[in-house]
Amino acid sequence: MLESQYCILLTIYDIEELRYNHNHVVLQPQKEALMSSPDAISLLRTQSLTTLVHEELEQRIAAGRLLPGTPLRESAIATDMGISRGPVREAFRMLEERGLVMFEKNCGVRVRQLDLEQATHIYQVRIPLEGLIGELVTQNLSSDATNQVRLVLEEMAERVAHQDVPAYTDLNFRFHDLLAKFTGNPALYDTYRRLVVQLKLFRSYTFRHSPETIGVSLREHTAIFEAIVSLNVLLAGELLRQHAKDSLQRLRAVAQPS
């Protein structure tokens, strides 16, 4: 059971790193002094478990393993993960705040159903934001950051070769997340992450229903990356704007095939 294998080392000051290793969580202390307060340990334990449950469920939603409309049973998830129901309940609240699940009266929790109108509203904000990201990241991308983005792009190409839609979907978001992060603008990055998390529902929907689009998507990402590393600020911004517009059109095509 996850709870019985949960090991905590809590310091008076800071905690350097949280590592999740299969069936247990280890908190590695920055300083040697330990605090054994049961209340503090219980709080950190619950918060850490909540984060793990939240990240796992979000990943399943993004990969399409939990489809829109799927009911989420608190007890079943707790049993599956070998934990108590408290962290699962809190994880549901976090997912609700991010727009990925919804609470229905007398019906529990469900993965949020797709709403094309809502997706359009999000894209209306995302499209100009992507243009700004393209311009800023081109001016600020370091050699180390360039290598990180290149590795993601190479992995995306491998996933296309194997028609691995769930893995490609994850990498697609990773690519864009890195570009937003490497703009060097924390306010922009925070805004971007809050905005696009709900698009994980829509993008996985597009790829699942029209898997050939991952090849088109890869070509667009490759062109964007080449514009960035060529330091073509205007082209990078325009390609990212157009990529967002095209993504919306592909979503509309599969959501309204007529």
Side-chain angles (χ1 to χ4, degrees), residues 99 112-124 198-199 201-202:
R112 193 165 188 171
Q113 292 278 10
L114 297 175
D115 184 332
L116 184 57
E117 181 180 8
Q118 182 190 35
T120 300
H121 292 163
I122 294 173
Y123 270 103
Q124 287 173 345
Q198 295 177 53
L199 293 180
L201 290 170
F202 306 122

Side-chain angles (χ1 to χ4, degrees), residues 52-69:
L52 293 177
V53 176
H54 164 257
E55 291 177 350
E56 173 63 19
L57 293 178
E58 183 173 313
Q59 198 279 331
R60 292 182 187 182
I61 292 171
R65 295 200 297 274
L66 290 174
L67 299 177

